Amino acid sequence: MSTVVEDSVGPKCYGGTYTVTLIPGDGIGQETAASVKAVFEAGKVPVEFEQYDLSGFTPENDSLMQEALGSLRRNKVGLKGILYTPIRQGHSSFNVAMRKELDIYASVAHCKNVKGIDARHKDVDFVIIRENTEGEYSGLEHQSFPGVVESLKIITRPKTERIARYAFDYALRNGRKKVTIVHKANIMKLADGLFLNTCRAIAKEYPSVQYNDMIVDNTAMQLVSRPQQFDVMVMPNLYGSIVSNIGAGLIGGPGIVPGANYGREFAIFEPGSRHVAKDIQGRNTANPSSLILSSVMMLRHLQLGEHADRIEHAVSKTLSIDGVRTPDLGGSHSTTDFTKAVIRNL
């Protein structure tokens, strides 16, 4: 899978070994990260991890957050699980803060049928490209009067131009034929109107790539009724969160959707459907596929394509031929069982 934005300095590499920041995350993060480390060790992948056990359950001013950011700035590349975000009260999302701090503006999630995994639809293969740094996730809220809260949605032309250009570049470089612009410009005429019109203007720079646009609620219906019509989709932040979860549901669940976040200098790879899964923490039943496949995207970003192909093939064989599946996919195998099977298939 080609990436569009190349690092201005480049990932940290000494003696042929890359140093990557690892943030396992909350919930099942430690278990899935351990799986990735075991697979990398068995496959002799030339990557060393700098691990930071950052947690969303810690206070906002936790020094570990700054240490993890410092590591990401040094290494340029990170592999990350999902950090818990408090609901209603407490600090803002560490996940969002990290993307904003490093200006990692393009989220990419690939939703594709996995051979051997039963799904409601066949021939599903689309890519969700989501703007990561503004929109409803701007975090600008205030109570203007008791019982009255105002939440600001920020859409800017420069950031819309770069995410639109990223989406069309992605389509061009990866042999994709069409880009769908997802919006709600019929209601949010200024904010989503700016997003839609800016994307349309960028589309004219790519005459070989088809494009259309679709209102977000219709997009949700079309996804569950005829997902094969979609190829590359570009959208603001909140819509991307919703659509990526629909996409995960279409192909078998969040455990098999890889994801990546790209900026001009930095890249962080994490599951494409962002769930902490605290309810199954410590049970050894988590599906590590999404983090393993996210690490495959990371290896391709590091130009370690041969290692990426071996691991991806091993995961595919484990799921489709060996039938080793964790409970989320209707099986009864443990995280440990799955990891050992992937290692055998290397």
Side-chain angles (χ1 to χ4, degrees), residues 168-245:
F168 281 92
D169 275 349
Y170 182 98
L172 205 58
R173 293 192 182 205
N174 290 279
R176 299 271 175 171
K177 294 181 171 57
K178 184 176 75 172
V179 174
T180 300
I181 306 161
V182 179
H183 64 92
K184 190 65 176 171
N186 59 325
I187 301 299
M188 287 172 273
K189 298 182 187 300
L190 292 179
D192 280 33
L194 175 62
F195 186 89
L196 175 58
N197 290 332
T198 303
C199 288
R200 284 173 171 170
I202 296 298
K204 293 176 182 177
E205 300 175 14
Y206 299 84
S208 63
V209 180
Q210 303 170 38
Y211 81 94
N212 67 338
D213 63 81
M214 193 174 290
I215 293 171
V216 64
D217 34 352
N218 183 34
T219 302
M221 182 191 71
Q222 295 294 332
L223 276 167
V224 298
S225 58
R226 196 164 61 89
Q228 299 84 358
Q229 67 185 287
F230 296 105
D231 195 355
V232 174
M233 308 170 76
V234 62
M235 61 202 76
N237 214 330
L238 178 62
Y239 307 159
S241 177
I242 296 167
V243 168
S244 62
N245 278 276

Side-chain angles (χ1 to χ4, degrees), residues 293-320:
L293 293 173
S294 297
S295 76
V296 166
M297 295 176 74
M298 180 190 78
L299 292 176
R300 293 204 172 107
H301 179 74
L302 295 173
Q303 307 301 315
L304 295 171
E306 185 177 336
H307 291 284
D309 291 344
R310 283 180 65 213
I311 294 172
E312 185 175 46
H313 175 75
V315 171
S316 177
K317 185 173 185 294
T318 299
L319 288 169
S320 62

Side-chain angles (χ1 to χ4, degrees), residues 35-316:
S35 179
V36 170
K37 288 189 287 185
V39 170
F40 273 39
E41 183 178 355
K44 294 180 169 48
V45 178
V47 167
E48 288 184 354
F49 289 115
E50 278 183 9
Q51 184 166 331
Y52 292 85
D53 293 330
L54 181 64
S55 172
F57 291 97
T58 57
E60 188 170 11
N61 60 357
D62 183 33
S63 61
L64 195 57
M65 174 69 163
Q66 297 309 315
E67 291 176 28
L69 284 170
S71 175
L72 286 164
R73 288 191 178 97
R74 286 193 307 275
N75 299 328
K76 310 296 183 185
V77 176
L79 181 66
K80 173 182 164 296
I82 309 303
L83 297 166
Y84 170 77
T85 301
I87 298 174
R88 292 186 64 239
Q89 299 180 33
H91 61 74
S92 57
S93 169
F94 282 173
N95 302 291
V96 174
M98 205 170 284
R99 296 174 203 129
K100 287 184 178 180
E101 185 73 23
L102 301 176
D103 197 27
I104 302 175
Y105 64 89
S107 168
V108 179
H110 190 185
C111 296
K112 182 179 180 180
N113 285 122
V114 176
K115 187 178 178 182
I117 302 297
D118 292 333
R120 287 181 172 83
H121 294 276
K122 296 180 179 179
D123 302 319
V124 176
D125 182 4
F126 60 86
V127 177
I128 302 160
I129 296 179
R130 164 186 177 186
E131 208 293 320
N132 249 347
T133 62
E134 57 177 14
E136 296 84 355
Y137 283 41
S138 302
L140 300 174
E141 294 184 312
H142 63 273
Q143 183 171 264
S144 56
F145 186 80
V148 179
V149 172
E150 295 178 334
S151 180
L152 301 181
K153 171 177 178 172
I154 308 296
I155 299 288
T156 62
R157 182 175 284 109
K159 290 191 175 184
T160 302
E161 284 178 343
R162 71 178 182 178
I163 197 65
R165 193 164 278 115
Y166 188 102
F168 281 92
D169 275 349
Y170 182 98
L172 205 58
R173 293 192 182 205
N174 290 279
R176 299 271 175 171
K177 294 181 171 57
K178 184 176 75 172
V179 174
T180 300
I181 306 161
V182 179
H183 64 92
K184 190 65 176 171
N186 59 325
I187 301 299
M188 287 172 273
K189 298 182 187 300
L190 292 179
D192 280 33
L194 175 62
F195 186 89
L196 175 58
N197 290 332
T198 303
C199 288
R200 284 173 171 170
I202 296 298
K204 293 176 182 177
E205 300 175 14
Y206 299 84
S208 63
V209 180
Q210 303 170 38
Y211 81 94
N212 67 338
D213 63 81
M214 193 174 290
I215 293 171
V216 64
D217 34 352
N218 183 34
T219 302
M221 182 191 71
Q222 295 294 332
L223 276 167
V224 298
S225 58
R226 196 164 61 89
Q228 299 84 358
Q229 67 185 287
F230 296 105
D231 195 355
V232 174
M233 308 170 76
V234 62
M235 61 202 76
N237 214 330
L238 178 62
Y239 307 159
S241 177
I242 296 167
V243 168
S244 62
N245 278 276
I246 295 174
L250 288 172
I251 63 170
I256 53 176
V257 181
N261 303 274
Y262 299 106
R264 286 196 63 80
E265 282 192 71
F266 310 103
I268 295 179
F269 299 83
E270 64 183 353
S273 186
R274 299 165 180 171
H275 292 266
V276 172
K278 185 167 171 50
D279 56 324
I280 59 170
Q281 179 181 350
R283 296 185 184 179
N284 197 26
T285 59
N287 185 349
S289 299
S290 61
L291 195 64
I292 295 174
L293 293 173
S294 297
S295 76
V296 166
M297 295 176 74
M298 180 190 78
L299 292 176
R300 293 204 172 107
H301 179 74
L302 295 173
Q303 307 301 315
L304 295 171
E306 185 177 336
H307 291 284
D309 291 344
R310 283 180 65 213
I311 294 172
E312 185 175 46
H313 175 75
V315 171
S316 177

